Amino acid sequence: MPRKKYATTDFSTDKMPHNRVQVFFDVLKLRFSTLMSAGALLFLFALPLMVVTVMRNLKVSEANLIVDEAERATAVFQTVNFFNFISVAAWAVAGLGFSGLFAVVRKLVWQRGILFFYDFFKGVKDNAVAFSVYFAVAAALNYLVQRCLRQTFFDDGLFVQAAVIASVAAAALYAPTMSFSLVQSTVYDLGITKKFVNSFLISMRTAYTVFPVAVLNLAPLTLLFIPNTVVFGVFLIVLPLIFAPLIALFDTLYCDALLDKYINKDNFPEIVDRGIYRNAQNNDD
């Protein structure tokens, strides 16, 4: 008679994750394929943005071939501004994919069962507007910052300098709030403005950790500035496929810890530490 096979993993509560660091590695170990599948769907939503990015680089390369320095600077300035402007819409489309990705990640960190395509596209349905707005605003701020900084090449007057300071300050304040706004969308049924206000208040209260996390989130984008076509192409593909799901997982766990401390503890105690088995007990319905 064939021998019966038994599970080699002990799923007793003492073997379940007891903190969020363990949840992170538990998801990578047991649900990595699901996480990467969400990245694959995000990749599809990010295709318009990738096309815009490639076209921008090609057109900038063409502009850099202009011999006259003043004409070259003007051409590069106009090209970058144009593609950064239309990328606002492309980022809004990518935001749809992020809404599905974060919905799947929410199920993973809360140790819930997943119907992959249903849960991904339910996340898109539930949070399409919020995520598109958050990413479009981020892209618009990027457009303003780059436009103002490049404008200093042509005009370093007081007004331009003030515009640079204002745009950079706005972007610096917005970036840390974005992760909280996205994560809140998977938990609370609140309006876009209310979630942003909550996110801003928490970010300012915990700036000593929030700002480094914001820098960490943006760091992978710097890989696109490597002056090598092959490296650029590889990272352009890898960013939505691999980096984005990992960042979404990290941000969800990080933001959950602060949301538990500042909001859930008093208002929604039933979801505090959900998915975590502290003292062999899980706070779940």
Side-chain angles (χ1 to χ4, degrees), residues 156-214:
D156 61 352
L158 184 61
F159 177 79
V160 173
Q161 293 179 19
V164 169
I165 294 173
S167 60
V168 170
L173 290 173
Y174 183 79
T177 70
M178 191 166 174
S179 293
F180 286 103
S181 297
L182 300 179
V183 172
Q184 282 190 82
S185 296
T186 67
V187 181
Y188 312 126
D189 185 17
L190 299 173
I192 294 175
T193 303
K194 179 61 176 177
K195 284 181 289 191
F196 176 77
V197 171
N198 286 344
S199 300
F200 181 79
L201 293 175
I202 294 175
S203 297
M204 295 303 99
R205 193 170 183 177
T206 59
Y208 59 93
T209 62
V210 170
F211 279 94
V213 169

Side-chain angles (χ1 to χ4, degrees), residues 121-142:
F121 287 103
K122 186 177 186 301
V124 175
K125 178 183 176 182
D126 291 344
N127 294 309
V129 174
F131 274 68
S132 291
V133 168
Y134 292 135
F135 278 95
V137 170
L141 288 172
N142 173 65

Side-chain angles (χ1 to χ4, degrees), residues 71-255:
E71 291 183 10
R72 182 172 63 250
T74 300
V76 170
F77 177 74
Q78 293 175 343
T79 300
V80 172
N81 286 341
F82 172 75
F83 282 100
N84 282 346
F85 181 78
I86 64 175
S87 73
V88 174
W91 270 110
V93 174
L96 300 176
F98 276 99
S99 65
L101 169 63
F102 272 82
V104 170
V105 169
R106 169 55 61 205
K107 288 292 191 75
L108 292 177
V109 301
W110 274 359
Q111 307 286 328
R112 296 297 185 86
I114 293 179
L115 296 173
F116 179 74
F117 287 102
Y118 172 82
D119 287 324
F120 185 95
F121 287 103
K122 186 177 186 301
V124 175
K125 178 183 176 182
D126 291 344
N127 294 309
V129 174
F131 274 68
S132 291
V133 168
Y134 292 135
F135 278 95
V137 170
L141 288 172
N142 173 65
Y143 165 77
L144 290 174
V145 169
Q146 291 203 41
R147 182 182 179 89
C148 292
L149 287 173
R150 294 177 186 276
Q151 185 67 43
T152 60
F153 180 85
F154 305 96
D155 180 5
D156 61 352
L158 184 61
F159 177 79
V160 173
Q161 293 179 19
V164 169
I165 294 173
S167 60
V168 170
L173 290 173
Y174 183 79
T177 70
M178 191 166 174
S179 293
F180 286 103
S181 297
L182 300 179
V183 172
Q184 282 190 82
S185 296
T186 67
V187 181
Y188 312 126
D189 185 17
L190 299 173
I192 294 175
T193 303
K194 179 61 176 177
K195 284 181 289 191
F196 176 77
V197 171
N198 286 344
S199 300
F200 181 79
L201 293 175
I202 294 175
S203 297
M204 295 303 99
R205 193 170 183 177
T206 59
Y208 59 93
T209 62
V210 170
F211 279 94
V213 169
V215 172
L216 180 65
N217 287 340
L218 295 173
L221 294 177
T222 62
L223 299 172
L224 296 178
F225 293 96
I226 296 176
N228 182 287
T229 303
V230 175
V231 174
F232 170 82
V234 170
F235 281 119
L236 187 64
I237 294 171
V238 168
L239 282 172
L241 283 175
I242 299 176
F243 281 100
L246 293 177
I247 291 173
L249 175 60
F250 174 85
D251 282 0
T252 297
L253 291 167
Y254 168 75
C255 293

Side-chain angles (χ1 to χ4, degrees), residues 16-35:
M16 300 300 282
H18 300 311
N19 55 58
R20 289 187 170 85
V21 173
Q22 291 181 3
V23 172
F24 181 87
F25 289 105
D26 195 60
V27 170
L28 292 185
K29 179 181 178 181
L30 301 177
R31 308 302 297 274
F32 184 76
S33 61
T34 301
L35 188 64

